[in-house]
Amino acid sequence: LTHLHEPAVVHCLRTRYAAGLVYTHTGAILLACNPFRTYDGLYSEATMKRYWEAGSGGGAGGGGDNLTDDGSRGRLPPHVYGVADGAFRAMMRAFEDGHAGNNNAVIASDTNAPFADQSILVSGESGAGKTVTTKIVMRYLATLSQRYASGACSRSSRHARYTPASTAAAYDREGGIEQQVLQSNPILESFGNARTVRNDNSSRFGKFIEMQFQRSGILTSSNIDTYLLEKVRLITQSRGERNFHIFYEILAAADGGGVAAAASQSDKVALGL
């Protein structure tokens, strides 16, 4: 941008949005505009492969010069995959440089040594796509971990080779820690998400997700801390909004799988609703 001020930024975002480009870089920050539609291939395996290969070749997943599909030097388009890949590669570099303690530790054993910790902050107004973006980041990181754990990656120092997801299919079916982490999202959303006038699946709480990796790049565990739950929604909701999803899911199950509104009054009394 020739002039960095609000009108220029908004015009740039609007122009890119009209062209179907929902991601825009501004320094180290990635701006995302919710397209409210599905873009074919935006989060496909092929797209993930591009950022994976760029990162394994020493780039930062879209933050620097990388080989494009035609083999020329260029820059990958801004994408949340690039942010996730950059954090993963920075963590791995810290591990490989010997700044992250022993072989299996995540936190440095030497208090004077720098940590390998990386943080990704996802923020925005209601309906902007924070919940979906967080799940996309988690899936990308879990996929990288699966490559390492299943042997789908042949690694030499900082370099790795991408192979199709089918090679890790057997590992996926075994229900590794990656799948457990990803499958926890629907449970959290049932108890903490609700319909608002701006978003049918709005998170009514904050969460801090910690994914812990071994020095080998394999995901070992995950912690999810929740805070600031909108408890007042339990007793009152604004016009056009609903209570937390879990109550409607219970009523739907009580009605034999029908819609929540079809549950009888006796069912509601029996369930204390």
Side-chain angles (χ1 to χ4, degrees), residues 134-153:
T134 300
K135 289 189 285 189
I136 293 171
V137 170
M138 292 176 64
R139 179 162 294 280
Y140 186 90
L141 295 175
T143 299
L144 291 188
S145 175
Q146 289 176 348
R147 304 292 178 235
Y148 282 83
S150 64
C153 285

Side-chain angles (χ1 to χ4, degrees), residues 115-136:
F115 292 101
D117 297 348
Q118 301 293 313
S119 297
I120 299 176
L121 175 63
V122 182
S123 64
E125 63 180 10
S126 179
K130 299 183 296 297
T131 300
V132 173
T133 297
T134 300
K135 289 189 285 189
I136 293 171

Side-chain angles (χ1 to χ4, degrees), residues 15-126:
T15 302
R16 291 178 59 82
Y17 185 87
L21 303 173
V22 298
Y23 291 116
T24 303
H25 267 311
T26 171
I29 300 173
L30 180 70
L31 302 178
C33 297
N34 192 336
F36 294 100
R37 52 162 291 188
T38 299
Y39 281 101
D40 294 335
L42 186 59
Y43 305 107
S44 66
E45 184 77 17
T47 302
M48 186 179 293
K49 175 182 177 180
R50 295 177 61 197
Y51 289 87
W52 164 256
E53 290 183 337
S56 63
D65 291 336
N66 299 293
L67 287 175
T68 56
D69 290 339
D70 60 3
S72 62
R73 300 300 296 183
R75 182 185 291 263
L76 286 174
H79 200 289
V80 67
Y81 284 165
V83 175
D85 193 270
F88 184 85
R89 303 300 169 184
M91 178 190 71
M92 293 303 296
R93 284 195 296 271
F95 279 135
E96 292 169 2
D97 290 342
H99 294 319
N102 58 55
N103 288 339
N104 293 321
V106 175
I107 300 177
S109 57
D110 183 359
T111 55
N112 295 321
F115 292 101
D117 297 348
Q118 301 293 313
S119 297
I120 299 176
L121 175 63
V122 182
S123 64
E125 63 180 10
S126 179

Side-chain angles (χ1 to χ4, degrees), residues 51-268:
Y51 289 87
W52 164 256
E53 290 183 337
S56 63
D65 291 336
N66 299 293
L67 287 175
T68 56
D69 290 339
D70 60 3
S72 62
R73 300 300 296 183
R75 182 185 291 263
L76 286 174
H79 200 289
V80 67
Y81 284 165
V83 175
D85 193 270
F88 184 85
R89 303 300 169 184
M91 178 190 71
M92 293 303 296
R93 284 195 296 271
F95 279 135
E96 292 169 2
D97 290 342
H99 294 319
N102 58 55
N103 288 339
N104 293 321
V106 175
I107 300 177
S109 57
D110 183 359
T111 55
N112 295 321
F115 292 101
D117 297 348
Q118 301 293 313
S119 297
I120 299 176
L121 175 63
V122 182
S123 64
E125 63 180 10
S126 179
K130 299 183 296 297
T131 300
V132 173
T133 297
T134 300
K135 289 189 285 189
I136 293 171
V137 170
M138 292 176 64
R139 179 162 294 280
Y140 186 90
L141 295 175
T143 299
L144 291 188
S145 175
Q146 289 176 348
R147 304 292 178 235
Y148 282 83
S150 64
C153 285
S154 299
R155 294 182 296 132
S156 175
S157 183
R158 298 177 184 177
H159 298 276
R161 178 176 58 83
Y162 179 93
T163 55
S166 57
T167 57
Y171 180 83
D172 295 345
R173 288 193 296 268
E174 293 175 0
I177 183 64
E178 295 86 354
Q179 294 304 309
Q180 296 178 36
V181 169
L182 296 176
Q183 290 170 4
S184 68
N185 281 314
I187 300 176
L188 286 174
E189 291 180 6
S190 290
F191 286 91
N193 288 25
R195 178 182 179 179
T196 66
V197 293
R198 302 183 65 181
N199 186 358
D200 286 346
N201 190 36
S202 177
S203 298
R204 310 314 300 167
F205 66 104
K207 57 185 173 183
F208 176 81
I209 304 174
E210 182 181 33
M211 303 177 71
Q212 300 174 343
F213 295 82
Q214 290 183 350
R215 188 171 183 175
S216 60
I218 297 176
L219 179 64
T220 58
S221 63
S222 177
N223 290 326
I224 302 178
D225 293 329
T226 61
Y227 52 92
L228 298 177
L229 178 65
E230 188 185 32
K231 298 179 181 179
V232 68
R233 185 170 291 271
L234 288 169
I235 57 175
T236 183
Q237 302 88 42
S238 301
R239 181 181 297 274
E241 299 194 354
R242 302 203 313 179
N243 211 320
F244 295 107
H245 293 329
I246 185 63
F247 298 112
Y248 304 95
E249 292 168 351
I250 291 175
L251 291 176
D255 191 48
V259 296
S264 65
Q265 184 63 33
S266 60
D267 289 332
K268 296 179 181 179

